[in-house]
Amino acid sequence: MTDHALWLLRQDRRLAELAAFPFDFDLDRAVHGHVEEVRLASGRPLETVAGDDTGGTYFVCADGSVLYADSEGAAGIIGSSVDETLELVIGLPGWRDYTRLSPDDGEEKILACVAETEDEIREHYGIDEERAELRAALGFPERSPVELVARLHAALLRTEPEFVLLNADEGCAYDRIGPAGAPLWEPVLAAGRADLARLREDDSTAWREVAEDPVRRRITLRAAQFDRAEGDLELLRHLLRHETRSSMSDELRLAAVLVGLRGDTGDLPLLLEVRETDFDTACGLGGMPEPGAGADELRQWARTLDESMFGTDPSDEPVSTWTDLARDQGMTELARVTLIRELDNIFLDQSRLRRPEAPRTLATAPLSGLARDFEELGDLPQALRAQHLYAALQETAWDRASARHTLARLEREAGRLPQAADTLAAVRNALATPGDDSLRYWTQVSLGRFIAEEHYRLTLALADASRPEEARALLTAADAIFDELSENAANGIRELAEQAAARVREVD
């Protein structure tokens, strides 16, 4: 659809006033913007076109879709264009009450909900004559509430992953308006389920193509994990043989488990051959029954691994399983949005990090994992957000220095040079006054070299950014760290140190 109706509103003050009241689509509020600075997680542009009297804002996205954000931190796509959105707000002035309705609710329930809401509106002001006038002027047909609710439902389902709204300062995501949508594993597994069906049909092309493609192979094995059929043994053997090319992957272990669960001792030579592929597979498939073992022993080994690591319910899998597979399939935004919401959940409730066996301590590895995932996706703001919290939660001097060293690198790469300099100052403070003996040998190990290296790299960045005084001060600090390193550690960054010194002399 075009945005002809929006053009008409902008040309005719009477029509614009009708849209603003009683239908709460106020073009004049666009100049004020939203209640806070926001941006799309995808980085795509947004244009503010209208607002409402609750502090909500209507944004137009790059493809013309309209994203509505309320003032309480929730957002959703409500139309594929401004004109479609205007049809919605005029035809359903109480649309915010219908975001949980779907066509599955049936015509009777939908019409009853709409009638109840509109009767309440009519107690305060008219909408019927105004609606007829505005529809006629804008050229909108009279659509039934059932059709409009179906349109709204379809639009809201498109919100994720492409149109997730973030608080621009904090980076946290707005809640989703309307239906929750499919769980992550459903779109991730879709291609694997299709390939598994082709393998079961004995499609020779599929047997070759799936086995040769590491991503398709992994996803097909995951599909087989949750859809176990008696006739799959031969295709599982086939995938297992080819998965050895990936060395010790989770899917290699999964394939071995799915084969072993059948209890066919004739598979022991294959399983043992897979185990001996390299050192990693030997470790990862440890405990496997040796030649001569019985069927029960083989099944027990596979069952133990299955219960501890796999299972048959995709919702029990760690979210990282699905984000990794989404990213491997090019579903970048789907992975990004899921990881952002995972990070948001940790910020809101850090008790999620508590160790079950020691509830007074935190397992912070998920945060460093999230930082790495975001960095691989090229999302440095979210990587920084995760790394900031990770660094703040470290308890030993070693862990604090290491986490802040990584934080400084991310800040430098994001162009936040003053912040990176402050973070490196905190690293130096940890080295000088550690408070425990965990950093006793920092000068003789890789950590010392990495810290010095980051000092020199930031010195170069400050010099290139025409910040000579800060570059000179940081070079002095870098040289002091360099002088404390062991000879081997120092030799590894000597050339970088000389480059940094030369560059500072140039800008001086």
Side-chain angles (χ1 to χ4, degrees), residues 192-206:
R193 287 170 162 172
D195 278 336
L196 181 60
R198 292 179 63 197
L199 293 177
R200 286 171 174 170
E201 293 168 359
D202 209 20
D203 183 330
S204 59
T205 301

Side-chain angles (χ1 to χ4, degrees), residues 238-373:
H238 181 66
L239 296 176
L240 173 59
R241 291 186 184 96
H242 284 79
E243 186 60 20
T244 57
R245 300 177 185 180
S246 300
S247 187
M248 192 56 247
S249 66
D250 286 339
E251 285 70 30
L252 179 67
R253 185 184 283 112
L254 171 61
V257 165
L258 293 176
V259 169
L261 284 171
R262 300 306 199 281
D264 187 337
T265 56
D267 287 320
L268 275 173
L270 169 61
L271 291 168
L272 293 168
E273 179 184 346
V274 169
R275 186 186 69 180
E276 299 307 317
T277 300
D278 54 32
F279 177 77
D280 289 337
T281 55
C283 295
L285 295 175
M288 181 183 291
E290 297 296 329
D296 289 344
E297 188 178 352
L298 176 57
R299 286 195 196 94
Q300 183 57 44
W301 169 79
R303 191 178 298 115
T304 299
L305 277 179
D306 189 28
E307 292 173 354
S308 64
M309 302 188 66
F310 301 111
T312 58
D313 187 346
S315 61
D316 289 339
E317 283 289 323
V319 69
S320 58
T321 296
W322 306 122
T323 54
D324 288 349
L325 290 172
R327 190 171 55 196
D328 289 345
Q329 294 180 80
M331 300 176 182
T332 304
E333 289 309 310
L334 190 59
R336 186 203 312 276
V337 167
T338 303
L339 292 169
I340 289 172
R341 295 207 181 280
E342 190 73 5
L343 181 56
D344 287 350
N345 289 337
I346 293 174
F347 265 93
L348 290 171
D349 182 10
Q350 292 178 22
S351 68
R352 296 164 65 97
L353 298 175
R354 294 195 185 281
R355 301 177 187 272
E357 72 282 4
R360 293 189 178 183
T361 63
L362 300 179
T364 56
L367 283 168
S368 61
L370 285 168
R372 287 192 298 272
D373 287 339

